[in-house]
C-alpha cells in the first residue's frame, strides 16, 4: 500500500497523527478547516480542486497511538469535541421512508441477531489494518425491523458529532458486509473509535464507516456524505474508486 507523499499531503480522510509532525498546531489546522478548500489550496501551493481539504484533527493527547486496542488504526474526527455517549443513553433513530420508524437502545440492538465479520480496514489515504474483527447487527437485519417502503432507494447516516454524514444505496445497504457495529477488535467500540455504535462498511474505504452513529434515514436517493461533497467517491469500493489501486479487502 504505497502512499505517495503527494497523496498524503493533499488529502483528507486522513490527517491523523502524521500531521503533527508537519508542525502545524491543531488550533491552526482547525482555523484552516474553517477557511475551507481555498485556504488549503494556497497553503499547499496547489490549484483548488486538485485535492480535497483535510481537516481531521489529531488526538490532542497523543495517547491514541499508545493504546494497544487501537490496533494500528489512526484516529479520525472532523470535530474538535468528540461525542462521549454513555451506553445507557445511547439511542439509534431509524426514520424516513419506513413503515415503522423507531428508536433502538443499545440493549435492543443487542437483542437483534448478531453478526461477526473479520476483514482488513483500509483508509483512502493508504493505511490498512489487517483482519479487524467486528460484530453487531447487519444493517439489513435492522432495516428489516423497520420495513423500508417501496420508495426507499438509499440510506443516509448521521453522527452524534453533528457534522459527519454518510450514505449508501439501498442495494449496497442490503449486502451481507454492512454492519451496525457495537464491537470492534474484540471489545465494545471505544469512544475514540465511534462507540458505542458505529457503522462498518466492509468493502469500502474507511470514510464510509461513520462513527458515533445517531440516525439512519431511508431516502429516495443518495445524499452525498461529508467527504463526498468534498470530492470523494460515494461508491467507495476499496481498489475500485478514488483513483486508487489497492487490493480489495
Ligand atoms: N463521525 C466520523 N466518522 C468517521 C470519520 C470522522 O472523521 N468522523 N472518519 C472516517 C475515516 S476517513 C476513517 S479512515 C475511519 C477511521 O476510523 P477510526 O477513527 O476508528 O480509526 O473513520 C471514518 N468515520
Ligand atoms: Mo480515512
Amino acid at each position: 500500500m504505497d502512499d505517495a507523499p503527494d497523496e498524503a499531503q493533499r488529502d483528507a480522510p486522513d490527517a491523523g497523527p502524521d500531521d503533527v509532525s508537519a508542525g502545524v498546531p491543531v488550533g491552526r489546522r482547525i482555523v484552516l478547516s474553517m477557511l475551507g478548500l481555498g485556504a488549503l489550496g494556497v497553503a499547499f501551493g496547489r490549484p483548488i480542486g486538485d485535492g480535497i481539504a483535510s481537516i481531521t484533527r489529531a488526538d490532542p493527547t497523543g495517547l491514541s497511538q499508545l493504546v494497544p486496542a487501537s490496533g494500528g488504526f489512526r484516529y479520525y474526527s472532523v470535530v474538535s469535541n468528540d461525542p462521549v455517549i454513555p451506553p445507557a443513553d445511547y439511542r439509534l433513530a431509524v426514520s424516513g421512508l419506513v413503515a415503522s420508524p423507531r428508536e433502538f437502545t443499545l440493549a435492543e440492538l443487542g437483542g437483534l441477531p448478531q453478526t461477526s465479520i473479520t476483514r482488513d480496514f483500509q483508509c483512502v489515504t493508504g493505511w490498512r489494518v489487517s483482519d479487524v474483527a467486528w460484530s453487531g447487527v447487519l444493517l439489513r437485519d435492522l432495516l428489516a425491523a423497520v420495513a423500508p417502503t417501496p420508495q426507499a432507494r438509499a440510506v443516509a447516516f448521521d453522527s452524534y458529532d453533528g457534522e459527519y454524514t454518510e450514505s449508501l444505496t439501498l442495494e449496497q445497504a442490503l449486502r451481507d458486509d454492512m454492519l451496525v457495529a457495537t464491537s470492534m477488535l474484540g471489545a465494545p467500540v471505544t469512544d475514540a473509535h465511534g462507540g458505542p455504535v458505529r457503522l462498518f462498511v466492509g468493502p469500502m474505504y474507511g470514510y464510509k464507516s461513520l462513527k458515533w452513529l445517531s440516525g439512519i434515514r431511508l431516502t429516495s436517493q443518495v445524499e452525498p456524505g461529508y467527504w463526498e461533497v468534498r470530492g470523494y467517491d460515494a461508491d467507495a469500493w476499496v481498489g475500485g474508486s478514488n483513483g486508487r489501486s489497492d487490493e480489495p479487502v
Side-chain angles (χ1 to χ4, degrees):
M1 278 357 79
D2 64 316
D3 193 11
D6 188 51
E7 171 98 10
Q9 190 183 42
R10 91 176 126 103
D11 283 312
D14 92 23
D18 328 41
D19 266 27
V20 173
S21 62
V24 184
V26 170
R28 170 72 175 148
R29 293 196 294 112
I30 290 167
V31 171
L32 285 173
S33 80
M34 294 162 107
L35 297 173
L37 280 178
L40 281 171
V42 171
F44 292 146
R46 295 165 192 280
I48 295 165
D50 153 86
I52 293 99
S54 152
I55 305 297
T56 38
R57 76 181 167 85
D59 170 9
T61 66
L63 289 174
S64 58
Q65 293 179 91
L66 304 175
V67 177
S70 290
F73 275 76
R74 298 190 196 175
Y75 171 66
Y76 289 85
S77 178
V78 298
V79 298
S80 49
N81 277 305
D82 294 343
V84 174
I85 307 148
D89 296 345
Y90 180 78
R91 296 291 182 280
L92 172 59
V94 188
S95 65
L97 301 172
V98 297
S100 320
R102 60 169 286 194
E103 280 191 355
F104 293 85
T105 63
L106 197 56
E108 287 167 339
L109 291 177
L112 293 173
Q114 302 293 297
T115 299
S116 297
I117 298 175
T118 296
R119 202 154 182 172
D120 288 4
F121 187 89
Q122 166 95 46
C123 173
V124 72
T125 59
W127 58 273
R128 182 168 178 132
V129 183
S130 306
D131 296 330
V132 180
W134 302 86
S135 57
V137 180
L138 269 187
L139 190 51
R140 73 172 178 214
D141 290 339
L142 189 79
L143 294 180
V146 297
T149 67
Q151 291 72 39
R153 286 281 171 275
V155 188
F157 303 93
D158 297 308
S159 171
Y160 274 103
D161 70 13
E163 285 290 329
Y164 206 85
T165 55
E166 255 309 330
S167 62
L168 293 168
T169 65
L170 186 58
E171 188 187 3
Q172 290 164 358
L174 296 176
R175 289 171 55 108
D176 62 7
D177 50 9
M178 302 285 176
L179 203 60
V180 173
T182 51
S183 161
M184 170 184 173
L185 300 165
V189 181
T190 61
D191 292 336
H193 285 301
V197 181
R198 74 178 292 172
L199 206 59
F200 172 60
V201 173
M204 297 192 185
Y205 286 107
Y207 63 88
K208 301 297 289 189
S209 293
L210 172 143
K211 306 202 295 184
W212 307 293
L213 178 64
S214 63
I216 297 180
R217 290 175 289 116
L218 280 288
T219 58
S220 58
Q221 54 185 13
V222 167
E223 294 178 4
Y226 183 92
W227 286 118
E228 288 128 23
V229 298
R230 290 161 176 80
Y232 283 77
D233 292 343
D235 293 330
W237 308 106
V238 173
S241 66
N242 296 291
R244 293 188 61 94
S245 54
D246 304 293
E247 176 119 355
V249 285

